[in-house]
Structure formats: C-alpha cells, structure tokens
Amino acid sequence: MASRSLSRLAQWCSRVFMVEINQKTEPIYFSLSSKPSAHNTELGALFGNGKLFSVYALCDDRIQSARSHAQLKNTLAENLPPGCELLDSAAFLPDIKSSLIKGFFLQDNSALSSAERAVTQLQEKGPVGLCVFTYTREENGQYLCSAVAEEPAERERKYYVIPAPAPQRHPSALNIRNSDVFYQMEDAYKVLQECCDIIPESKAVLELVTEQQLQSNNSHDKRFPVVVIEGLDATGKTTLTCSLQKALGAVLLKSPPHCLARFRQHFDAEPPLIRRAFYALGNYITAAQIARESSHAPVIVDRYWHSTAAYAIATAVSGREENLPAVGSEIYEWPSDLLRPSLVLLLSVSPEERLRRLTHRGLDKTEEESQLEINHLFRHKVDEAYKKIQNPACIVVDASPSPEHVLQQVLYLIRSKYNLQTQDHQ
Ligand SMILES: Nc1nc2c(ncn2[C@@H]2O[C@H](COP(=O)(O)OP(=O)(O)OP(=O)(O)O)[C@@H](O)[C@H]2O)c(=O)[nH]1
Ligand SMILES: Nc1ncnc2c1ncn2[C@@H]1O[C@H](COP(=O)(O)OP(=O)(O)O)[C@@H](O)[C@H]1O
C-alpha cells in the first residue's frame, strides 16, 4: 500500500508527478532523478519562483486515506496565505491501474514562505502519514527535491526534478474502478463495512441492502418493461416520470431509493470512495425493488446506474473533457450483477433552458448540482460520461418542448419498442 512502499524518497523515483495548473491547460509532468536534465525549461511554468511544496496524506487504510486527503485539502485551503496557489497534484506509475496517489502542490509566491509554516504545522498535527516534498531552484537553473522527513539522512537526500512525458491514459482515470465506480455489489458493500466504526450510518445502510436482497425475486420470468429516465438536474425527470407513471399505470421508483433518503446528506459530505459506494448500494436496493415490481407492472425509474457512474467519472477525471476515457473503456461497463433496464432515456435541454427551469423550480441543490452551474466543464463531462456508457446505452431525448409534448414523444418511443398500451386503453 502507499505508505509502506513510500517511506523513503528513493521509492518515489519510480513514479511520475502530475500538477494541474488549471482545468483548461495540459498538466505538467515531472519525475525525480539522480541525474539532472538539460531540458527542464518546461518546468519553469510550475517551478518558476517562490517556495514550493508537494503534500501527500499516506495511510494504509483506504477509508482513512480518503478522509485524510479531504481533511488535508480543507486544512490547506483554510490556512494558506493570499498569494499561495494550492494546486491538485498526483503521483502515479504510468498507465498502471490503482497506482494514483492524490496530493497537493503549493506555489508560495509570498516572500515570507508562510506556506512553509502552514505545512510545518500540518506536519505536526496533520493526518496520519503526511509526506512533504520541498523544491528549490539551484543557481544553474536545476530544481532539486528533498523530503521533509524525520530521519536526518532522508532530509539530506536530494533528487533532481526532470520533465516526464505525458502518459497514454490520463492518471486521474487510473483509480476509478472500486474507488469512484463500483462494478460488483460486494465491492461497494466492503467499503461501507470498513466504515462501520467511524460512520455509524453505514451499518443501517448495509442492513437495508441485505434486507432488500433477501426480498428480491431473482426469477427471470417475463417482466414488464423497465424504463430509466436520466439527465442533469432540472431537465424534467421528475415531471416526466410522474406523467409516465399515470399514462402507463406504471410503478415509479428512484435511485437512491426513499429508504436511503435520511442518510443521503451525511454521505454526500464524505469523500468520493465512501459517497460513491453509498450511491452504488442505493442502485442495488432499487434493483431489488424493480425486480419485484416489474413482475406485475411496467416500472419507471428516476435515475439509476448511469447517474452514479456519470457523476463519479466526471468528478474523478480532472482537467479537460478529452481526458475522459474513450467509449469502450471498461469504466463504462454496466455491472454484471446489477439488473439491466429495458430502456434508458437521457433528457437533454440547452444550458440556458436548464438554468431557467432550475431557477423556476427554486429547490435547493446538492453541492454537486451547484458545481454543475459554476463549472461548465464538469457539466460537459457528466453529459459526455452519460453518453459513453454502453449496454444499455442512453437514447437522448430532446426535453426542451412542453411537458405534454415530451411525454407524447417518450410514450411513442416506449410503445414502438414494447407496444405498451397507455392507461386509458387498458
Ligand atoms: N440520484 C443520484 N444522484 C446522484 C448520484 N451521484 C451523485 N448524485 C447527485 O445527486 C443529484 C440529484 O439527486 P436526486 O436525488 O436525483 O435529486 P433530484 O431532485 O431528483 O435530482 P434532479 O431532479 O435531477 O435535480 C445529482 O444532480 C448529483 O449531484 C447517483 O448515483 N444517483
Ligand atoms: N418540458 C418542460 N418544459 C418546461 N418546464 C419544464 C418541463 N419539464 C419540467 N419543467 C419544469 O422545470 C423544473 C424542473 O423540472 P423537474 O421535473 O423537477 O426536473 P428534474 O427532476 O430533472 O430536476 C420544474 O419547475 C418543472 O415544472
């Protein structure tokens, strides 16, 4: 695991470091070497001036590591002086899955190296296993890296910073499996089991999952159609799903299911590993409900696995939209143990229309929904991730017309696929 294998600076030499100056430009990649590089000018944009640090929270326990990373980000953001840039950083083994370690790069342009004080304070009371690197510029234009370590010998050891080539796969996509998106119920279940000591609500969620699984009817006899309605918030999912329920005499379900509503706010505040495991388990509870209900009526579902995967992937994959893995990547594969719907419709409206509906609706938003408004790039990535998921893939529906028009369009789609009669003809 990260901390054991990275106790000494030498062990970091096999890794490449990535620092993203902002979401729109290519990140800067560098590594540590015992020999200088004659071509390190491209590092100037990052290492230009001032005191520089990388900080990584290292723990063997993945739950503690996820929480330490989140705490580290909050602590650094609260304590850094103006003029000090806090950038996302990562250390990874190029194109090796699950090798990503997330951290932070601090550019302290203030003369007083006040960031140094903030980092030292963190070092004293910080989360378990804080690993701090400092970077200094030599007269000859070379940059040196040393670790702020307890052992004096480690402190003396320095390595040259040299440019590294961009990897094939964007490093932020390396850890998605079982850290951001889950492809088996048991993998998500294990995460919440490991949280039980520190998050009491986890036990109640796991009991609900077990209870629903016991009630689930896994019989594969004839089922009525299961239609999932997906889309960004305020695209009209709630309005449409209610009308479809009436028009088709269908059962209306949603994910996360009502039985998890009371836990949601808590898990929305947890780091991605824990939060996404919560939403993944919500889909399995909803799947058990779909299995039962679709044996006697059509089922309409408001959000399901596409939402879980799209939001998780769009959050995990940093930088530009092009960094999203291509269609066909394993990260878009439907979980083999999760009930597949018959049809998934992705409601799509223009950003302007969506904002108009959001303001009109006036409901409060999840933090992530607020992000959707501020961060057009994040919203595009969610939308793109929805469309890359296959088996089943989404059918995009233009949801900008009136509610009645959208309903008729969707009923036509469903009927032409299933010759389902509407309620009034039954
Ligand atoms: N339902 C669902 N929401 C998720 C998931 N992952 C993240 N979210 C967040 O939760 C928000 C929506 O939560 P919902 O419970 O669907 O709330 P809602 O009012 O029905 O959503 P909208 O009607 O689309 O605004 C999303 O916009 C995401 O920010 C997931 O797996 N399932
Ligand atoms: N087709 C539509 N045309 C215009 N307004 C709509 C349409 N569908 C929904 N709305 C309105 O937009 C707002 C968001 O709709 P809602 O169904 O809550 O979307 P979602 O569930 O996707 O967040 C609501 O005020 C709703 O009345």
Side-chain angles (χ1 to χ4, degrees):
M1 288 298 282
S3 64
R4 271 200 296 274
S5 65
L6 295 166
S7 55
R8 297 164 42 73
L9 188 55
Q11 274 89 348
W12 289 83
C13 289
S14 60
R15 288 172 186 263
V16 172
F17 292 82
M18 171 185 80
V19 178
E20 297 187 300
I21 294 191
N22 61 52
Q23 294 266 356
K24 293 200 171 42
T25 51
E26 271 302 296
I28 291 183
Y29 295 100
F30 62 90
S31 51
L32 306 181
S33 163
S34 51
K35 297 185 188 62
S37 156
H39 314 286
N40 68 352
T41 42
E42 65 191 86
L43 296 176
L46 187 62
F47 288 88
N49 54 9
K51 279 272 181 191
L52 303 164
F53 305 87
S54 290
V55 194
Y56 293 85
L58 296 180
C59 314
D60 281 337
D61 171 306
R62 64 176 172 168
I63 303 297
Q64 189 50 50
S65 192
R67 287 187 130 199
S68 298
H69 177 266
Q71 284 155 9
L72 181 59
K73 181 164 196 168
N74 296 336
T75 313
L76 285 171
E78 282 154 19
N79 294 295
L80 287 183
C84 183
E85 285 293 317
L86 178 63
L87 303 173
D88 285 327
S89 173
F92 61 98
L93 299 168
D95 302 327
I96 303 292
K97 281 183 218 157
S98 305
S99 68
L100 180 71
I101 301 170
K102 290 181 186 173
F104 302 98
F105 187 88
L106 288 70
Q107 283 180 323
D108 175 9
N109 301 314
S110 62
L112 307 174
S113 73
S114 35
E116 190 159 18
R117 268 201 305 281
V119 171
T120 312
Q121 281 159 15
L122 262 178
Q123 188 80 15
E124 280 138 27
K125 65 173 179 55
V128 175
L130 207 55
C131 180
V132 184
F133 300 122
T134 61
Y135 302 90
T136 45
R137 191 174 190 283
E138 299 284 282
E139 288 303 313
N140 59 7
Q142 292 294 339
Y143 297 101
L144 284 177
C145 170
S146 59
V148 179
E150 288 74 30
E151 307 76 25
E154 268 302 282
R155 235 175 280 152
E156 296 318 309
R157 200 182 303 283
K158 294 188 187 310
Y159 287 88
Y160 289 102
V161 181
I162 60 170
Q168 287 289 320
R169 295 170 68 175
H170 193 270
S172 59
L174 290 175
N175 280 30
I176 283 180
R177 179 174 283 275
N178 295 340
S179 294
D180 299 284
V181 184
F182 295 87
Y183 300 87
Q184 294 283 346
M185 185 182 80
E186 64 178 308
D187 295 326
Y189 196 93
K190 271 185 206 140
V191 171
L192 257 60
Q193 275 182 316
E194 293 168 27
C195 294
C196 283
D197 298 345
I198 48 175
I199 307 176
E201 293 83 350
S202 305
K203 200 161 177 304
V205 172
L206 294 175
E207 281 162 5
L208 281 166
V209 172
T210 309
E211 186 188 301
Q212 286 291 335
Q213 293 305 311
L214 294 175
Q215 291 169 22
S216 169
N217 96 5
N218 289 320
S219 64
H220 292 280
D221 57 10
K222 170 153 177 12
R223 288 192 193 291
F224 281 80
V226 177
V227 179
V228 177
I229 306 297
E230 289 282 6
L232 297 179
D233 51 295
T235 45
K237 293 185 301 303
T238 308
T239 304
L240 176 63
T241 50
C242 292
S243 316
L244 283 172
Q245 177 188 23
K246 293 189 192 79
L248 298 173
V251 172
L252 175 55
L253 297 173
K254 69 181 300 184
S255 177
H258 289 300
C259 63
L260 293 188
R262 59 197 166 103
F263 304 111
R264 190 153 178 200
Q265 199 171 3
H266 178 97
F267 284 94
D268 270 342
E270 290 293 342
L273 171 70
I274 300 167
R275 178 171 187 223
R276 304 303 176 190
F278 169 76
Y279 278 110
L281 292 173
N283 288 328
Y284 284 97
I285 293 178
T286 299
Q289 294 169 346
I290 295 172
R292 280 198 302 278
E293 301 299 344
S294 62
S295 59
H296 63 82
V299 176
I300 305 295
V301 191
D302 181 341
R303 291 184 189 273
Y304 190 40
W305 195 73
H306 278 77
S307 272
T308 307
Y311 280 99
I313 292 166
T315 307
V317 177
S318 57
R320 304 186 308 175
E321 201 175 299
E322 295 72 27
N323 295 338
L324 285 171
V327 173
S329 161
E330 57 171 17
I331 66 163
Y332 302 119
E333 270 165 23
W334 191 270
S336 55
D337 63 351
L338 182 65
L339 182 144
R340 273 184 178 74
S342 338
L343 186 64
V344 182
L345 302 179
L346 176 64
L347 303 189
S348 174
V349 293
S350 69
E352 300 70 33
E353 173 60 12
R354 213 173 63 79
L355 266 180
R356 191 190 66 75
R357 293 183 186 182
L358 250 184
T359 5
H360 179 70
R361 183 177 69 171
L363 286 182
D364 61 341
K365 304 172 200 159
T366 62
E367 166 53 35
E368 208 163 46
E369 284 168 343
S370 313
Q371 267 303 320
L372 282 173
E373 301 335 309
I374 308 162
N375 190 335
H376 299 282
L377 180 59
F378 175 60
R379 194 174 67 236
H380 276 298
K381 284 197 269 189
V382 173
D383 213 30
E384 272 311 297
Y386 266 129
K387 293 170 185 167
K388 290 174 186 278
I389 293 169
Q390 304 296 314
N391 192 20
C394 293
I395 296 175
V396 179
V397 171
D398 173 11
S400 43
S402 70
E404 183 52 31
H405 186 105
V406 173
L407 172 63
Q408 292 312 321
Q409 196 187 342
V410 166
L411 283 174
Y412 174 77
L413 260 175
I414 295 174
R415 262 196 239 110
S416 53
K417 189 162 170 128
Y418 298 107
N419 68 357
L420 255 186
Q421 294 309 315
T422 52
Q423 180 74 331
D424 47 0
H425 292 305
Q426 274 170 356

